[in-house]
Amino acid sequence: MSHPRVVDVVLLTMNDRPAEEKAAQATLLAQRGVDLRICVVGNGCIPDIVPAGARTVVLKENLGIPGGRNAGARALGEAEHPGDCLFFLDNDATFPREDVLSRLVAAAEQHPGAAYVQPRLTGPDDTTSPRRWVPRLRTSDPWRPGTITTMTEGVVLVRRSAFDAVGGWADEFFLYHEGLDLAQRLWSRGSTGWYAAEVRMHHPLTSPARHDQFHRLAARNRVWVAYRNLPAPLIPAYLAIWAFITAVRSARGGGACESFRGLREGWSRRRDQARCPMSWRTVLRLTAAGRPPVI
């Protein structure tokens, strides 16, 4: 790149991972080829670890991950000359090289139709990529770059103009599937996503099921994704497919009662969500990109 680009970085914390957060911030501050503006958001707390010169946002209560990240994005957007790109960083994710952000920005420049660029997320071994971290249906080759229709929320570069145009993350999701919702809304505006598989980031190999509310919130938010984004005729198909998948997964790993409680909650509260169904043209575009929106 001929000159540095400004990247606004939002890092959310609950002061629950001090060692991991120190490592995340150290590798963030080591990035080269970009100008960083950082906002550390205390989600129901005052952040304990804040880099010199960074902004802080202190939320009186835990608003959930999308709500906290929106607060950080707003704070950076209110600054003079906001960056063209936002990077959302989990506080336990690390950059294995000093050029990760500059390469992601370069990928965004090479793919102007992509509203977001996703690096390849691996465990600390630099190799292991669980299925859930590969942002496409065909997960056998996580090293293959290409157009994607969803995202891994905790390490993603998003164009600010596109992010602001769709209203950012869905606050009310609190946790889980906010990336799928955001991706579908960005696609609805004619954009795509790009998987820069050659650019790696590291994350502990933790399971999302470690959170007590995982089964309920994941199921509830699936319903809300469908109601918010899908044409009406596709909603029953989507929910039927995911009810079946949920039943199969629950038989193997438990959580059936909470999962189906979440499905009921999502359906009963669906009208609380802002509905803006995608066009049939977007359905076709998503299908052509390898992920029909009912899957």
Side-chain angles (χ1 to χ4, degrees):
M1 298 173 61
S2 59
H3 56 87
R5 302 289 194 267
V6 177
V7 178
D8 288 346
V9 180
V10 177
L11 190 151
L12 194 62
T13 184
M14 295 178 66
N15 294 332
D16 55 343
R17 303 181 182 119
E20 293 89 341
E21 193 163 328
K22 286 180 181 178
Q25 291 191 18
T27 59
L28 170 63
L29 295 173
Q31 293 299 293
R32 300 289 179 261
V34 292
D35 290 333
L36 298 176
R37 297 192 312 176
I38 302 168
C39 182
V40 181
V41 180
N43 214 355
C45 66
I46 299 173
D48 289 336
I49 307 170
V50 180
R55 295 172 178 266
T56 59
V57 172
V58 177
L59 302 175
K60 293 182 179 179
E61 60 180 307
N62 179 2
L63 298 182
I65 289 178
R69 286 178 177 151
N70 279 339
R74 283 194 299 269
L76 290 167
E78 291 167 357
E80 187 176 4
H81 306 304
D84 291 337
C85 292
L86 285 157
F87 188 79
F88 295 95
L89 177 65
D90 272 356
N91 67 345
D92 54 354
T94 56
F95 300 84
R97 294 173 38 153
E98 296 180 352
D99 61 353
V100 170
L101 282 179
S102 64
R103 293 169 72 196
L104 290 176
V105 172
E109 293 172 343
Q110 293 164 8
H111 302 279
Y116 59 99
V117 178
Q118 180 79 62
R120 175 162 60 91
L121 192 60
T122 77
D125 63 2
D126 203 41
T127 300
T128 306
S129 292
R131 182 184 182 89
R132 67 181 183 278
W133 286 352
V134 183
R136 60 167 180 264
L137 286 180
R138 299 182 183 91
T139 61
S140 59
D141 183 7
W143 300 273
R144 179 169 58 83
T147 299
I148 52 172
T149 62
T150 185
M151 66 172 68
T152 304
E153 302 93 337
V155 287
V156 64
L157 185 84
V158 187
R159 298 184 196 276
R160 176 176 282 281
S161 58
F163 181 83
D164 290 344
V166 299
W169 305 99
D171 285 354
E172 54 271 54
F173 278 39
F174 194 83
L175 181 63
Y176 305 120
H177 302 320
E178 67 271 18
L180 175 59
D181 175 76
L182 178 59
Q184 289 189 353
R185 286 185 285 126
L186 292 169
W187 273 77
S188 287
R189 291 184 60 86
S191 298
T192 63
W194 182 257
Y195 179 42
E198 70 282 2
V199 183
R200 302 181 314 283
M201 286 199 66
H202 293 170
H203 193 285
L205 293 167
T206 53
S207 167
R210 71 190 185 278
H211 298 293
D212 293 339
Q213 302 181 79
F214 166 72
H215 295 289
R216 180 178 66 84
L217 294 184
R220 182 197 69 180
N221 293 352
R222 282 282 183 191
V223 179
W224 287 355
V225 166
Y227 182 78
R228 287 164 62 92
N229 298 308
L230 295 186
L234 294 185
I235 294 176
Y238 180 93
L239 296 182
I241 289 169
W242 278 101
F244 174 76
I245 291 172
T246 298
V248 171
R249 289 178 175 173
S250 297
R252 295 173 179 171
C257 291
E258 285 298 299
S259 293
F260 284 97
R261 177 186 166 201
L263 290 173
R264 288 194 300 269
E265 179 185 350
W267 185 252
S268 66
R269 294 179 53 195
R270 67 191 185 281
R271 299 192 190 280
D272 295 342
Q273 300 299 306
R275 178 159 164 74
C276 187
M278 65 182 67
S279 67
W280 288 104
R281 181 174 182 274
T282 300
V283 172
L284 293 174
R285 290 175 59 235
L286 288 167
T287 302
R291 192 181 189 110
V294 295
I295 301 176

